[in-house]
Amino acid sequence: MAIPDRKEREWASREHLILEHADDLMRQHGYLGLNLDHLAERIEYSKATIYNHFSTKEDLLLGVTNLHLRTREELFSRALTYEGLSRERGLALGVADITLAHVHPHGFPLFQLLQNPSIWEKTSEERRQRFGTLNGTCMKISAELIRQARALGDIPDSAPPDAQILFGIISLSKGAHLLAQTTHTPFTTMPGFPWQALMANYHVFLDGVGWKPLHADFDYAAAETRVRDTLFSRESLPTTTR
């Protein structure tokens, strides 16, 4: 076994340890709760070791976001290959998105924080490129599903262009994530806010573009159960279908 290989594995293992504990600290306390001295104590390495892996605190934030995006890519890939109708695979993408919100409730605020130029410019070029690759792959998976549905005839020729459908789905998702982080909103009194409401709105939108089978013609509650049992850890997921 070559020494460089062992050192590379040790480096990767230590970096993953840092990311996991940083992720856990932010899950518990938010961005402001990510204290590098506290993080160093938890991982039993010096703060200098953290800076050997991440040039700035902002670079560490991007590393955690990339960890989340890697999970998103994996879940989206599972959804795309799900054996079912095209709209069931679309349902699987929605469940994947909601799964991540449930497991990483701090993920969307962190993603939004990184959009701030003063934060983004302090991250490393390598992690920026990784972010772009992962984010782009998730977008391509979503676009591919819509393309497949149209090719199968599940989305009619009269429907809006694929890009417009994708834009609508993403707008619904991001809007729900944003509202989920908002404390003063009348929507918090809605039954199942935000994730049941989001899933219901997905179906309203997809019915609107004519993606078959329509909600009234298919048991999507049972379909969601199948998706959860087949693709995801059911114990870790909230129920989303009413």
Side-chain angles (χ1 to χ4, degrees):
M1 184 179 301
I3 296 299
D5 291 343
R6 186 184 68 192
K7 289 183 176 180
E8 287 174 6
R9 285 196 304 275
E10 289 173 349
W11 177 274
S13 177
R14 187 166 57 243
E15 186 161 292
H16 189 72
L17 178 70
I18 294 169
L19 288 170
E20 282 192 323
H21 281 275
D23 188 30
D24 188 53
L25 282 172
M26 283 189 284
R27 181 184 295 109
Q28 295 180 49
H29 308 295
Y31 164 65
L32 295 178
L34 181 57
N35 180 286
L36 296 190
D37 288 313
H38 188 190
L39 176 59
E41 289 177 8
R42 286 188 57 161
I43 63 175
E44 298 182 342
Y45 284 102
S46 68
K47 191 159 69 169
T49 298
I50 297 174
Y51 280 119
N52 282 339
H53 287 264
F54 304 93
S55 57
T56 61
K57 182 177 179 179
E58 292 78 8
D59 197 38
L60 176 57
L61 297 181
L62 183 52
V64 171
T65 293
N66 285 347
L67 194 68
H68 295 173
L69 282 174
R70 178 65 188 88
T71 303
R72 177 179 291 273
E73 179 190 53
E74 180 183 339
L75 296 185
F76 274 31
S77 295
R78 290 188 211 171
L80 186 62
T81 58
Y82 179 71
E83 293 185 5
L85 301 172
S86 67
R87 186 155 158 178
E88 286 184 281
R89 291 193 288 277
L91 174 69
L93 283 180
V95 174
D97 182 51
I98 292 169
T99 298
L100 289 166
H102 180 68
V103 175
H104 301 298
H106 56 300
F108 182 77
L110 181 57
F111 187 95
Q112 292 296 101
L113 180 65
L114 286 164
Q115 309 309 305
N116 187 318
S118 66
I119 301 291
W120 184 256
E121 68 186 12
K122 295 177 183 177
T123 61
S124 65
E125 182 61 28
E126 178 185 0
R127 287 193 174 82
R128 292 181 197 175
Q129 291 181 3
R130 180 64 173 157
F131 173 90
T133 298
L134 291 169
N135 204 34
T137 299
C138 293
M139 191 76 70
K140 289 175 183 176
I141 289 172
S142 302
E144 173 60 17
L145 174 58
I146 295 170
R147 186 200 67 77
Q148 289 179 4
R150 195 182 292 271
L152 289 167
D154 294 340
I155 295 177
D157 292 338
S158 58
D162 291 4
Q164 189 173 342
I165 294 173
L166 179 59
F167 178 80
I169 293 170
I170 293 173
S171 296
L172 286 172
S173 173
K174 291 209 168 188
H177 281 278
L178 184 61
L179 288 170
Q181 304 299 321
T182 305
T183 54
H184 302 292
T185 170
F187 300 115
T188 56
T189 61
M190 289 177 59
F193 174 85
W195 309 125
Q196 287 182 2
L198 173 60
M199 189 61 76
N201 281 348
Y202 279 146
H203 286 299
V204 170
F205 177 77
L206 297 181
D207 279 358
V209 302
W211 193 332
K212 300 176 182 178
L214 301 181
H215 189 265
D217 300 330
F218 192 78
D219 188 349
Y220 281 104
E224 182 180 334
T225 298
R226 290 194 297 272
V227 165
R228 288 155 56 92
D229 287 345
T230 304
L231 300 182
F232 309 112
S233 172
R234 190 173 184 183
E235 291 75 18
S236 68
L237 304 185
T239 300
T240 57
T241 302
R242 288 184 286 183

